[in-house]
């Protein structure tokens, strides 16, 4: 018998709630965005004083090992880009696709990852210091970041465009595919994010199926389905057309 995600929560939650060093606990990810399904992992956010972070990792790992067994773990090297201390755990006795993404935040951190428009609506397991804000990102911050992403996306675009054209003419599928993927990520996706989810302009392609229009999602999907130089050439015409359209539409961000 393998434990489900819900079984994991039933055992882990009381243990964490009873730890006096923990001031705040919530589930992020799919739980916050109301998209939990049978394959969701457990995204746990825990807040404590900075001095307690390492001892908390030790205590939680001991609990997990005792009750579920730790199959694999990966501690993100610090300083991590988000400023958290983060570790991933794959357990021995949970369903194979279940893992824990554990982030431990110091009480002093500024970006709390609780902006409702970016990370969903959070329901706290515990919050004794009113750490969770559940408020949207200020519009001025959204626009400032969107402007930066627009400018990066629209500058130097011709370089990859020319490299793609050369690779297609040489009938070099691998180079054409790689250059085209880079073009998507650097130039088109940021503009699609401005179009469909400006508050998440920095999310790359993640959750595109959920947030993009069907037509834009189809454009992206068609690239991954292209299995020949001819198909890549046709897809790139769609990509370029969409890029030029969005570049013009959001010219105010230039």
């Amino acid at each position: 018998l393998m434990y489900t995600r819900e079984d994991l929560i039933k055992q882990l939650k009381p243990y964490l709630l009873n730890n006096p060093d923990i001031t705040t606990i919530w589930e992020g990810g799919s739980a916050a965005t109301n998209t939990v399904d049978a394959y969701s992992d457990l995204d746990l956010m825990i807040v404590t004083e900075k001095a307690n972070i390492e001892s908390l990792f030790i205590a939680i790992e001991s609990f997990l090992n005792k009750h579920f067994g730790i199959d694999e773990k990966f501690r993100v090297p610090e300083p991590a880009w988000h400023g958290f201390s983060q570790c991933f755990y794959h357990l021995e006795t949970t369903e194979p696709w279940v893992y824990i993404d554990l982030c431990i935040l110091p009480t002093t951190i500024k970006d709390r990852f609780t902006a409702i428009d970016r990370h969903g609506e959070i329901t706290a397991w515990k919050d004794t210091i009113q750490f969770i804000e559940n408020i949207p990102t200020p519009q001025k911050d959204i626009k400032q970041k969107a402007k930066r992403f627009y400018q990066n996306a629209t500058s130097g675009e011709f370089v990859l465009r020319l490299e793609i054209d050369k690779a297609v003419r040489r009938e070099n599928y691998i180079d054409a595919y790689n250059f085209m993927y880079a073009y998507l990520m650097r130039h088109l996706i940021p503009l699609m994010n401005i179009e469909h989810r400006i508050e998440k302009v920095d999310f790359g392609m993640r959750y595109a199926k959920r947030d993009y229009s069907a037509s834009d999602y189809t454009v992206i999907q068609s690239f991954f389905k292209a299995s020949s130089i001819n198909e890549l050439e046709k897809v790139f015409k769609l990509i370029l057309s969409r890029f030029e359209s969005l570049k013009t539409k959001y010219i105010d961000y230039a």
Side-chain angles (χ1 to χ4, degrees):
L1 177 66
M2 303 298 281
Y3 292 110
T4 65
R5 181 181 182 278
E6 289 70 31
D7 296 329
L8 177 59
I9 291 172
K10 284 178 184 177
Q11 292 200 49
L12 183 57
K13 186 174 181 178
Y15 170 76
L16 296 175
L17 288 174
N18 288 326
N19 189 314
D21 290 333
I22 297 174
T23 61
T24 307
I25 315 168
W26 77 92
E27 284 185 68
S30 56
T33 56
N34 198 30
T35 55
V36 171
D37 63 18
Y39 304 104
S40 295
D41 55 285
L42 177 58
D43 294 280
L44 273 182
M45 309 289 282
I46 291 176
V47 181
T48 189
E49 295 297 329
K50 188 173 183 179
N52 297 329
I53 290 176
E54 293 308 319
S55 61
L56 265 183
F57 271 117
I58 292 170
I60 293 170
E61 286 183 17
S62 177
F63 178 89
L64 292 174
N65 219 13
K66 178 181 178 181
H67 293 276
F68 302 97
I70 296 175
D71 177 41
E72 296 178 285
K73 77 171 188 177
F74 171 64
R75 178 75 180 266
V76 176
E78 297 186 32
W81 66 271
H82 43 48
F84 310 159
S85 296
Q86 184 175 24
C87 194
F88 296 88
Y89 301 95
H90 187 240
L91 306 176
E92 293 176 350
T93 56
T94 53
E95 292 175 328
W97 48 83
V98 174
Y99 67 88
I100 300 173
D101 177 358
L102 174 63
C103 290
I104 303 183
L105 292 64
T107 55
T108 54
I109 199 163
K110 292 182 179 180
D111 187 352
R112 303 179 177 192
F113 275 49
T114 62
I116 194 170
D117 55 326
R118 285 174 57 81
H119 305 292
E121 188 168 1
I122 295 164
T123 301
W125 289 6
K126 174 183 181 180
D127 191 8
T128 61
I129 59 171
Q130 288 74 54
F131 184 89
I132 297 170
E133 295 172 323
N134 263 338
I135 56 175
T137 309
Q139 283 298 309
K140 64 178 180 62
D141 293 346
I142 291 174
K143 290 180 179 179
Q144 185 177 27
K145 183 180 283 187
K147 186 174 183 179
R148 185 171 77 251
F149 271 75
Y150 176 92
Q151 291 171 353
N152 288 338
T154 55
S155 64
E157 171 269 340
F158 72 92
V159 178
L160 275 175
R161 176 163 34 90
L162 294 175
E163 288 296 340
I164 292 165
D165 183 56
K166 289 193 292 183
V168 167
R169 290 172 184 273
R170 290 167 176 158
E171 297 187 356
N172 186 331
Y173 175 86
I174 291 176
D175 280 2
Y177 192 95
N178 282 332
F179 283 134
M180 205 175 295
Y181 178 77
Y183 188 98
L184 278 173
M185 296 305 296
R186 295 179 196 175
H187 303 296
L188 181 58
I189 294 299
L191 300 187
M192 283 189 171
N193 283 344
I194 290 174
E195 170 81 350
H196 298 294
R197 51 182 190 185
I198 192 170
E199 71 284 352
K200 302 173 187 174
V201 69
D202 55 336
F203 272 39
M205 275 192 282
R206 196 165 191 197
Y207 313 123
K209 186 176 182 180
R210 187 172 72 203
D211 295 338
Y212 285 11
S213 66
S215 59
D216 274 348
Y217 186 74
T218 298
V219 170
I220 301 303
Q221 194 174 39
S222 64
F223 161 71
F224 290 100
K225 290 182 176 181
S227 58
S228 69
I229 281 290
N230 287 339
E231 289 177 6
L232 281 178
E233 188 173 18
K234 290 176 183 177
V235 168
F236 195 56
K237 288 179 181 178
L238 295 175
I239 289 171
L240 279 178
S241 174
R242 191 64 179 127
F243 171 82
E244 292 297 340
S245 172
L246 291 171
K247 178 182 177 181
T248 300
K249 184 175 181 178
Y250 295 103
I251 192 67
D252 288 347
Y253 288 102

